[in-house]
Amino acid sequence: MTNRYAVVLAAGQGTRMKSKLYKVLHPVCGKPMVQHVVDQLNTLELNELITVVGFGAEKVQDQLGDASHYVVQEEQLGTGHAVLQAEDILADKEGTTVVVCGDTPLLTGETLQKLLDHHDSEQAKATILTAHADDPNGYGRVIRGGNGQVERIVEQKDASDEEQAIQEINTGTYCFDNQALFQALQNVSNDNVQGEYYLPDVVEILKNESETISAYQTPDFSESLGVNDRVALSKAETLMKERINERHMRAGVTIQDPTNTYIGPDVKIGQDVSVYPGTVLEGETVIEEDAVIGPHSTIKDCFVGKASVVKQSVATNSRIGERVQIGPFAHIRPESSLGDDVKVGNFVEVKKASFGDGSKASHLSYIGDAEVGSGVNIGCGTITVNYDGHNKFLTSIEDDAFIGCNSNLIAPVTVGKGAYVAAGSTINKDVPAEALSIARSRQTNKEGYATKFKSIKKD
Ligand code: UD1
Ligand code: CA
């Protein structure tokens, strides 16, 4: 098989975004655009993937990590100049190089594969991925000769009125014979309106050398959407959202209102899960079958077990077992772990805490830095007092303990197995297993006091 390389162009600042964040790092459905591109390229079998970085180089490298090699384009002199930065690594290699812009997040691995197959079967030196655009504004136009063969690409700013009327656009994705690419790049000039070295000029150069140039037109324009400004960003977001939601629905997930459901590209959802409106599922979240999520829940980097219910709640970086009930209005903060059949009810905050199977905190509690055993009942208004202004301390509540309402557990402290804490207690010493601890002042009743008080005449 021929060697395959990929070059991702990601050095531009993205002036048209008017943003402090570098363009290719703007997220679409929670994932930076350039990461979408790299993830799709990685579905192909590549010998090497190189990203051209410039503006925000460090940030782009932090994002992509080891998934790519990097070359730096010090000055942004155009897309042709950008590819040329990979010359030292690629120029003498035999094989095919795919070039993709870092601002086309909707491009799929399937389309890239079709482009490669087309390139191979046509034995072309260059194959352009083109699309038919209803509104071709801003894109390079594909100029075909009388015989229908691609002759060159003209940028919007360099195009005549007649050329601007052409609706076949350059998606900015190409396959090249690698050696032909780097030879042709030597001859690209910056003699154009923008004074830039245009990568698409390679097409005309190769054509003039009588090489075979081909084009593969993708039927789905949306894949070629290039994001140059925030209007296009929101279009990309909508299209990506529709694509993701449709994939889940076809796989057996009920999404009541897909226009108001936001699911990240890497989220996994089991069969017969129901997702209600206003739900945001992000990161590496996994939702197992029969779970019910939403309305209005935000879950990031969590595992949610079978048949669990998360209503109007927020959960981050935590593990939630099976048949767990969360919400409405609960907050599961990072590094928490809830066993099976747990209940975390309204206005309960859980932080860096583990709950064993069947434990419940049904109302109005803060459980932070805590280990809660199984079968524990935490009464309304219970607070783990975990912080003294300097350090955090651990609260341990052992299996089957019962914490009465409105109790403060001042950490570090342990409530032993099966123990009871009386309502309204402030516990600052360990409670032995099976004990009852009462830590509140005794109640005094003054008989007849109220009647006497009310009978005192006011002046
Ligand atoms: C480019 C194409 C255009 C095509 C469109 C598709 C050129 C000259 N034009 O235009 O034909 O229709 O994409 O979306 O290629 N970049 C660098 N270094 C540079 C310049 C750009 O790395 O010096 C990167 C940018 O970060 C971006 C990508 O290349 O990810 C494309 O650059 P951009 O300025 O967005 O090109 P377009 O004007 O959209
Ligand atoms: Ca662009």
Side-chain angles (χ1 to χ4, degrees), residues 16 23 103 226-228:
R16 290 165 281 183
K23 176 166 80 173
D103 64 354
V227 174
N228 294 329

Side-chain angles (χ1 to χ4, degrees), residues 173-195:
T173 306
Y174 324 77
C175 282
F176 295 103
D177 170 276
N178 184 60
Q179 290 170 340
L181 167 66
F182 283 92
Q183 273 156 29
L185 277 172
Q186 307 298 332
N187 300 323
V188 170
S189 83
N190 63 352
D191 182 17
N192 51 55
V193 172
Q194 302 190 83

Side-chain angles (χ1 to χ4, degrees), residues 16 23 79 101-104 138-139 171-172 224-229:
R16 290 165 281 183
K23 176 166 80 173
T79 47
C101 295
D103 64 354
T104 49
Y139 292 94
T171 65
S224 53
L225 186 77
V227 174
N228 294 329
D229 59 25

Side-chain angles (χ1 to χ4, degrees), residues 98-244:
V98 184
V99 180
V100 182
C101 295
D103 64 354
T104 49
L106 289 142
L107 195 64
T108 62
E110 281 158 35
T111 296
L112 288 166
Q113 186 61 54
K114 284 183 189 156
L115 175 70
L116 273 164
D117 292 345
H118 190 84
H119 180 78
D120 289 347
S121 69
E122 298 283 305
Q123 297 187 316
K125 291 285 178 192
T127 305
I128 310 154
L129 182 68
T130 74
H132 175 91
D134 290 338
D135 175 12
N137 241 312
Y139 292 94
R141 310 295 205 283
V142 178
I143 311 292
R144 292 181 184 256
N147 53 3
Q149 294 288 317
V150 175
E151 301 207 317
R152 63 195 168 89
I153 292 165
V154 61
E155 291 305 300
Q156 160 102 18
K157 288 183 180 156
D158 300 293
S160 65
D161 288 351
E162 205 178 304
E163 287 165 340
Q164 287 197 19
I166 295 170
Q167 287 183 296
E168 188 181 11
I169 58 112
N170 168 27
T171 65
T173 306
Y174 324 77
C175 282
F176 295 103
D177 170 276
N178 184 60
Q179 290 170 340
L181 167 66
F182 283 92
Q183 273 156 29
L185 277 172
Q186 307 298 332
N187 300 323
V188 170
S189 83
N190 63 352
D191 182 17
N192 51 55
V193 172
Q194 302 190 83
E196 286 184 4
Y197 296 90
Y198 293 161
L199 175 62
D201 284 1
V202 162
V203 171
E204 192 178 2
I205 292 168
L206 291 173
K207 184 80 195 170
N208 289 340
E209 291 169 3
S210 304
E211 301 290 5
T212 309
I213 308 297
S214 170
Y216 172 73
Q217 183 168 344
T218 160
D220 179 8
F221 168 76
S222 69
E223 279 205 36
S224 53
L225 186 77
V227 174
N228 294 329
D229 59 25
R230 307 228 194 188
V231 175
L233 183 66
S234 84
K235 282 189 185 134
E237 181 82 26
T238 302
L239 291 165
M240 181 74 78
K241 182 178 72 175
E242 283 171 5
R243 184 193 286 176
I244 293 169

Side-chain angles (χ1 to χ4, degrees), residues 443-455:
Q443 181 169 335
T444 314
N445 289 341
K446 299 193 172 170
E447 295 280 347
Y449 179 91
T451 318
K452 218 187 285 172
F453 182 73
K454 284 185 274 190
S455 70

Side-chain angles (χ1 to χ4, degrees), residues 285-407:
T285 293
V286 176
I287 313 283
E288 297 255 279
E289 58 184 47
D290 299 326
V292 178
I293 310 296
H296 299 289
S297 292
T298 300
I299 302 179
K300 184 175 186 191
D301 294 324
C302 287
F303 174 92
V304 178
K306 280 182 197 162
S308 287
V309 177
V310 183
K311 287 180 189 165
Q312 281 103 350
S313 291
V314 176
T316 311
N317 190 22
S318 290
R319 197 185 183 288
I320 293 158
E322 299 182 5
R323 298 173 304 280
V324 171
Q325 304 235 17
I326 295 177
F329 314 114
H331 190 184
I332 312 295
R333 291 172 53 201
E335 294 180 58
S336 294
S337 164
L338 308 181
D340 296 339
D341 303 296
V342 160
K343 184 173 178 200
V344 174
N346 40 201
F347 307 108
V348 174
E349 176 177 343
V350 174
K351 187 218 84 173
K352 209 175 177 183
S354 60
F355 277 53
D357 294 346
S359 288
K360 293 180 169 57
S362 299
H363 342 259
L364 295 150
S365 286
Y366 171 66
I367 309 297
D369 300 303
E371 285 169 7
V372 178
S374 57
V376 169
N377 188 35
I378 295 175
C380 177
T382 297
I383 291 170
T384 54
V385 184
N386 62 328
Y387 186 46
D388 65 2
H390 295 286
N391 294 305
K392 305 272 167 75
F393 299 96
L394 187 77
T395 300
S396 235
I397 305 174
E398 295 182 348
D399 295 350
D400 304 315
F402 183 99
I403 312 296
C405 291
N406 204 29
S407 296

